[in-house]
Amino acid sequence: MLKACRSPDDFIITLSHNPIVGRTEREAEEKFQELETLMPGYRIPKPKFFGSAEKVADQIQQWYEAGAMDLLKIRQEHPSGFDDFINLVIPILQDRGIFRTEYESNTLRGHLGLPYPENRYSV
């Protein structure tokens, strides 16, 4: 890393999770059971981020503040998973200042605050 003139701060920790979110714990549990019926014969482990929107937002905040992740990639198996996460969890994270409401750059690198490495092939 240091040979490439990069600081450890130039890297981000990205996790990929499949959260199941409900307005309540019960609703999240019902969605999990529904998902299990959609995939018969396949045992699905409960995701790390599971439960009410408030609980999932708390879990994400804890991981983020502990430095366990800088970015969370969401993948979904439940039919309404993305909509649930966007409509229920994102507003909570935005209220807490953890999720952006606007972007200040037009590139992913810029959004993440990572430096632009020098092009070693340019003259």
Side-chain angles (χ1 to χ4, degrees):
M1 214 174 354
L2 295 177
K3 285 183 178 182
C5 299
R6 293 187 180 173
S7 162
D9 294 332
D10 293 346
F11 295 88
I12 59 170
I13 300 170
T14 304
L15 301 177
S16 177
H17 280 279
N18 178 23
I20 296 181
V21 181
R23 287 174 183 78
T24 63
E25 291 287 319
R26 175 129 179 102
E27 185 178 90
E29 186 64 44
E30 289 169 358
K31 289 177 183 181
F32 180 72
Q33 290 172 2
E34 178 186 358
L35 188 56
E36 287 187 313
T37 63
L38 294 172
M39 304 171 117
Y42 179 70
R43 178 73 180 123
I44 303 168
K46 277 198 177 167
K48 298 251 186 264
F49 299 139
F50 177 86
S52 69
E54 194 72 34
K55 178 181 175 186
V56 170
D58 289 345
Q59 293 168 326
I60 291 170
Q61 182 174 2
Q62 288 170 354
W63 281 48
Y64 176 75
E65 289 177 350
M69 70 175 166
D70 299 307
L71 182 118
L72 176 63
K73 288 190 304 185
I74 302 295
R75 63 185 201 285
Q76 279 299 315
E77 294 164 350
H78 190 275
S80 66
F82 285 117
D83 289 337
D84 292 339
F85 192 82
I86 290 167
N87 295 324
L88 301 173
V89 178
I90 296 295
I92 297 169
L93 295 175
Q94 287 175 328
D95 288 345
R96 296 177 183 183
I98 296 171
F99 195 92
R100 300 172 191 222
T101 57
E102 294 183 21
Y103 291 91
E104 52 281 333
S105 179
N106 60 357
T107 66
L108 179 60
R109 182 176 289 279
H111 294 316
L112 298 175
L114 298 173
Y116 289 88
E118 183 178 320
N119 184 343
R120 61 181 166 198
Y121 301 108
S122 66
V123 180

